[in-house]
Amino acid sequence: MNFTDEYWMQLALDQAQQAAAAGEVPVGAIVVRDNQLIGAGFNQPISLCDPTAHAEIVALRDASKKVSNYRLPDTTLYVTIEPCAMCAGALVHARIKRLVFGAPEPRAGAVVSNLQLLDGAHLNHRIEVQSGVLAEQSTEAMRTFFRSRRGGGEK
């Protein structure tokens, strides 16, 4: 069976909920190849004391271990929030074929919001990008998390 982008993004949202439950910023990511889940992760920089433990990096590490290769050609990475510069660079190095993300990240997003890092002519690998898949659910997960951290009030 071929699953839709929405199906896979829902799995990334499930990962984001795990992050929120652990007190981490609710970002989740999964890696898919040949219609099979090969990696999953959620934000864990606080719990792992690791500034690189963003959801995308954790998912890439998981997938790489499962396939015994740091390169992940012909894969799609689904992530609930637009990747930062570090994660965008990791996607290039991993040779991810396609990036699908939910909501833009106006402050640190490095794919469409600010730096457009994946568009650089100097890059030795190109990644197809699709945004907006379950964007409202991704935004709401962040909004709910930060609202609870502020004691329930609005901005």
Side-chain angles (χ1 to χ4, degrees):
M1 175 189 287
N2 275 338
F3 296 106
T4 64
D5 285 341
E6 289 79 10
Y7 171 84
W8 295 117
M9 187 62 76
Q10 184 57 59
L11 294 182
L13 281 162
D14 293 345
Q15 291 290 312
Q17 290 306 317
Q18 289 185 55
E24 302 272 5
V25 174
V27 180
I30 64 165
V31 181
V32 175
R33 178 188 281 159
D34 297 329
N35 215 35
Q36 303 242 339
L37 177 69
I38 63 168
F42 56 87
N43 266 6
Q44 299 176 66
I46 298 166
S47 57
L48 294 178
C49 294
D50 179 356
T52 69
H54 290 194
E56 300 94 323
I57 302 296
V58 175
L60 290 173
R61 288 175 179 159
D62 187 40
S64 294
K65 285 179 185 171
K66 285 184 179 152
V67 301
S68 299
N69 194 340
Y70 73 102
R71 296 273 167 89
L72 299 167
D74 301 317
T75 58
T76 299
L77 184 129
Y78 292 86
V79 62
T80 56
I81 301 296
E82 177 184 2
C84 69
M86 174 185 68
C87 292
L91 298 177
V92 171
H93 288 292
R95 304 298 192 262
I96 295 293
K97 179 178 182 178
R98 187 168 170 250
L99 165 66
V100 178
F101 69 88
E105 211 301 65
R107 292 186 184 148
V111 176
V112 298
S113 294
N114 293 302
L115 301 174
Q116 296 83 36
L117 286 180
L118 299 181
D119 295 339
H122 65 284
L123 295 175
N124 62 350
H125 177 72
R126 297 279 177 215
I127 298 174
E128 299 169 33
V129 176
Q130 181 176 346
S131 62
V133 176
L134 300 186
E136 184 52 41
Q137 293 90 325
S138 297
T139 299
E140 187 56 34
M142 296 288 275
R143 187 177 297 131
T144 299
F145 176 80
F146 286 110
R147 190 177 297 137
S148 73
R149 302 281 288 219
R150 290 188 301 265
E154 291 295 319
K155 291 182 187 176

